[in-house]
Structure formats: C-alpha cells, structure tokens
Amino acid sequence: MGVEKIDHIGIAVMSIEEALPYYRDVLGLEYTGTEVVEEQKVRVAFLKIGESKIELLEPTSDDSPIAKFIEKRGGGIHHVAIRVSSIEDDIEKHHQGDVRLIDNEPRVGAHDMKIAFIHPKSTSGVLLELCQEPEKTH
Ligand code: ZN
C-alpha cells in the first residue's frame, strides 16, 4: 500500500471555539482555518503539528455522526487519518483482504481530500480514515 504518513488525528469537540485556545495558544500550533463539510454535518478546524495535523470536529446538527459520538463517548479522539498515494488501489486491497469498509468508494472530505473510512471492527478498535490529496491541476 502507498502509505505515506499520519495525515491527521480527528478529535470530536462540542465547540471549536472552546477547544481551539488550548491547541493554538497553549500548545502553540499553527491554526490554518475552519471549514464546513456539509455532507458529514461537521465544522472542522485544522492545526499543523509537524508533518501532520490535528482536526477538531464540531457537529453542525444533532444528527451529525460527531454529535452521536460525543453523546456516547463524551468527545475525544474520533479517528486517525493515514495519507495514501492512491486511495482507489488501497480500497481495492482492503476488499481483497476481507476488511470491513464504511466507504466502498472514496468521497470528498475537508480540503477536497479524497477520503474513505475503515470500520473499527477491522482495525482493532480505531476508526481509520484513508485520505489522498486531490489530483493537482497543473
Ligand atoms: Zn479526518
């Protein structure tokens, strides 16, 4: 598999506004902005940490998967994202390995990244996100 690095760690929060000061001001991470991902009913804020990022996820509605996660678990680490070079190939390999996927096809996430989630049942309990940078238009 063309695995490159840990791209980011997703942390579920009730409020980005309340969570951000710690990561930005106390840890001193570089905040690179917030965007809404309508399809997943979340607002996401990114902070750079070395080669990786921290992604704060705030629900935009009560039926958001993040709202449900916070209700059940009280927030915290929601997923770990792995950067891959070819997400279609990697999804295919997961199918061959009889792994349970949440997304059988890549969809579009924050920053227009192509993403696909792997079910925690197949990863020893961690929700894994595969992500690939959008093809660059030269
Ligand atoms: Zn993510």
Side-chain angles (χ1 to χ4, degrees):
M1 288 211 198
V3 170
E4 295 175 355
K5 62 173 185 176
I6 302 268
D7 187 82
H8 62 268
I9 294 173
I11 299 174
V13 300
M14 267 315 288
S15 157
I16 285 174
E17 211 190 327
E18 280 174 27
L20 195 57
Y22 172 74
Y23 292 97
R24 187 191 50 200
D25 306 332
V26 181
L27 277 185
L29 304 182
E30 184 191 339
Y31 167 61
T32 60
T34 297
E35 71 179 276
V36 172
V37 183
E38 294 289 354
E39 197 207 333
Q40 293 168 63
K41 297 177 179 167
V42 288
R43 217 154 71 87
V44 297
F46 282 100
L47 298 115
K48 273 180 145 170
I49 180 159
E51 294 239 307
S52 304
K53 283 161 277 175
I54 290 205
E55 177 187 58
L56 301 175
L57 301 140
E58 174 194 285
T60 54
S61 95
D62 288 345
D63 62 345
S64 158
I66 296 300
K68 287 180 189 136
F69 179 86
I70 291 172
E71 206 176 290
K72 251 204 274 181
R73 313 265 285 268
I77 292 181
H78 176 261
H79 65 269
V80 174
I82 294 174
R83 175 84 69 98
V84 297
S85 50
S86 171
I87 197 163
E88 278 90 0
D89 289 356
D90 284 334
I91 288 174
E92 183 52 37
K93 276 189 200 125
H94 277 77
H95 280 309
Q96 289 166 6
D98 204 21
V99 173
R100 219 168 128 189
L101 289 133
I102 292 170
D103 301 300
N104 288 312
E105 310 233 311
R107 55 188 162 117
V108 176
H111 293 169
D112 294 325
M113 299 279 279
K114 287 186 187 175
I115 64 167
F117 283 100
I118 316 298
H119 198 282
K121 282 241 157 71
S122 296
T123 63
S124 305
V126 182
L127 178 59
L128 275 189
E129 175 188 336
L130 302 177
C131 64
Q132 184 198 334
E133 277 194 304
E135 269 101 42
K136 287 184 183 87
T137 42
H138 291 286

